[in-house]
Amino acid sequence: MAEKSLEEKVKDIIVDQLGVNAEQVTNEAKFIEDLGADSLDTVELVMAFEEEFGVEVPDEDAEKLQTVGTVIEYLKDKTEK
Amino acid sequence: MKLENKVAIVTGAGRGIGAAIARIFAQNGASVACVSRTLENAKKTADEIQAMGRKAIPYAVDVSSAAESEATIQKIFTDFERVDVLVNNAGVTRDGLLARMSESDWDTVLDTNLKGAFLWTKPVARAMVKQRSGCIVNISSVVGLVGNGGQSNYAASKAGLIGFTKSVAREFASRGVTCNAIAPGFIVSDMTDSLPDAIKQKVVQAIPLGAFGKPEDIAEAALFLASPAGHYVTGQVLAVDGGMTM
Ligand SMILES: NC(=O)c1ccc[n+]([C@@H]2O[C@H](COP(=O)([O-])OP(=O)(O)OC[C@H]3O[C@@H](n4cnc5c(N)ncnc54)[C@H](O)[C@@H]3O)[C@@H](O)[C@H]2O)c1
């Protein structure tokens, strides 16, 4: 089986963490408004991303990550460095 | 065994109330990270626990130091792999009338008693949220409830701890993590041994049950909150004070 892409991994984590359907997790979806996350969910999501991708996300960056797409772009950027 | 296979961190575990809490947790099956300012004291408690056939590791750290605390907490997670119970018990007094209180006496007390609890709760709570269970117990004081002349710094720190407790309880309740405070009255310990006899006598007269409490009385309350029996209790302040604050 082919290695999952970063995008797929991110979406898997979101489905798992928020208990939403995969179809809901579009790039435009907002965590709080569209996916029903509360503020602690968003902290947990960031913790899960940090663990999966071995990166550290400073709080000032985390605040800006409000949609699925921004997270994917952000993590691509981070992991390429 | 109320705490079988559980891991607990107890700060200020070297003597007094903290040592009694560490001991009773171990007697009930827990492994204990014994945190104290001096390695000697932490080791004494850890040795006692190891003699019971339980795992215990001593750590010497100033809980008011962010860097030391962070490094120690990381070490604890490596050594024990998880944490189920955190008891923020380390505390100090620097008594004096407000009119004469130095800034450093204010800072020392607030930094140890209140900021220390923040520094230890934050990373531990994050891990507890992830495991969807955990129990935090903050050792406040009746002085935080009713105030005490000559202890404005201490009272502020202990009252602050109560507000902190309730807020943490609200933030993490949805993740199965509880947070409660215990407000001990006057307990026999190094902290109260230093009181002049005349004061001690006056204090006893103000205690309905007519005597100082023992560290074990506080430890039993902490055990209740940390054990499955206390799982439905969160955001509370349990006064264990011989009736002083009823
Ligand atoms: N004894 C009482 O009557 C009484 C009453 C109410 C509340 N309390 C509270 O209970 C707790 C324990 O009190 P005790 O009577 O056992 O006191 P104690 O002085 O015997 O023990 C305090 C412990 O905290 C540790 N400690 C202090 N500052 C520290 C720091 N910066 N970093 C790491 N460890 C530190 C000490 O090393 C010691 O092991 C304290 O928070 C105290 O305020 C005690």
Side-chain angles (χ1 to χ4, degrees):
Chain A
M1 213 174 82
E3 169 84 0
K4 280 192 176 173
S5 70
L6 181 142
E7 183 164 342
E8 284 169 326
K9 284 184 190 165
V10 166
K11 290 187 172 173
D12 283 352
I13 289 172
I14 294 167
V15 166
D16 187 50
Q17 193 82 45
L18 300 180
V20 292
N21 293 324
E23 308 85 72
Q24 289 173 269
V25 187
T26 62
N27 282 8
E28 296 71 40
K30 290 189 169 148
F31 293 111
I32 292 177
E33 286 89 338
D34 301 325
L35 300 177
D38 66 18
S39 52
L40 190 52
D41 284 322
T42 61
V43 174
E44 285 192 75
L45 272 173
V46 170
M47 281 161 51
F49 296 143
E50 287 179 332
E51 198 163 298
E52 172 73 34
F53 299 104
V55 297
E56 219 173 290
V57 182
D59 289 343
E60 53 286 12
D61 290 358
E63 277 165 29
K64 292 183 211 132
L65 303 176
Q66 295 182 2
T67 66
V68 176
T70 54
V71 167
I72 291 167
E73 287 313 307
Y74 178 84
L75 288 173
K76 271 188 186 157
D77 204 49
K78 271 258 182 189
T79 49
E80 268 162 24
K81 275 180 200 155
Chain B
M1 289 284 172
K2 294 172 179 168
L3 296 177
E4 192 76 64
N5 297 325
K6 301 283 185 193
V7 176
I9 300 177
V10 180
T11 70
R15 63 184 198 203
I17 293 170
I21 294 173
R23 241 180 264 127
I24 205 170
F25 280 10
Q27 279 159 3
N28 281 273
S31 304
V32 187
C34 301
V35 176
S36 191
R37 218 169 0 188
T38 60
L39 190 61
E40 198 192 336
N41 278 355
K43 202 172 164 304
K44 224 165 44 195
T45 306
D47 286 348
E48 263 182 66
I49 292 174
Q50 285 165 8
M52 297 176 201
R54 298 284 166 201
K55 178 170 173 176
I57 301 179
Y59 303 88
V61 53
D62 176 357
V63 298
S64 68
S65 153
E68 281 182 33
S69 296
E70 197 188 319
T72 305
I73 292 164
Q74 253 178 32
K75 230 189 280 159
I76 291 173
F77 273 101
T78 311
D79 293 342
F80 291 87
E81 284 168 9
R82 60 181 283 127
V83 174
D84 302 285
V85 183
L86 167 65
V87 182
N88 288 306
N89 164 81
V92 291
T93 52
R94 291 286 184 278
D95 297 352
L97 294 175
L98 179 67
R100 295 212 193 89
M101 187 172 292
S102 70
E103 185 181 356
S104 85
D105 281 350
W106 174 271
D107 286 344
T108 301
V109 170
L110 269 289
D111 284 355
T112 305
N113 301 6
L114 189 53
K115 186 177 154 193
F118 157 71
L119 292 174
W120 282 71
T121 303
K122 180 179 164 180
V124 173
R126 283 173 72 120
M128 288 176 169
V129 160
K130 217 151 135 202
Q131 73 199 19
R132 292 288 189 270
S133 73
C135 167
I136 298 158
V137 178
N138 294 319
I139 306 300
S140 177
S141 168
V142 288
V143 170
L145 293 168
V146 300
N148 192 19
Q151 290 199 303
S152 57
N153 50 357
Y154 183 75
S157 73
K158 293 300 187 180
L161 208 44
I162 290 173
F164 178 70
T165 298
K166 294 180 181 183
S167 305
V168 170
R170 285 183 191 278
E171 271 188 34
F172 298 116
S174 65
R175 304 305 195 271
V177 178
T178 64
C179 183
N180 292 285
I182 296 175
F186 281 85
I187 307 300
V188 179
S189 75
D190 289 345
M191 198 177 254
T192 49
D193 273 353
S194 59
L195 292 173
D197 280 342
I199 305 250
K200 277 191 205 159
Q201 273 171 19
K202 251 176 76 185
V203 167
V204 170
Q205 281 165 14
I207 304 174
L209 286 178
F212 275 46
K214 297 189 298 297
E216 289 72 27
D217 295 324
I218 307 307
E220 290 283 357
L223 176 63
F224 164 69
L225 292 170
S227 72
H231 80 104
Y232 199 55
V233 180
T234 196
Q236 299 304 307
V237 183
L238 178 53
V240 181
D241 63 356
M244 281 178 77
T245 57
M246 69 177 86

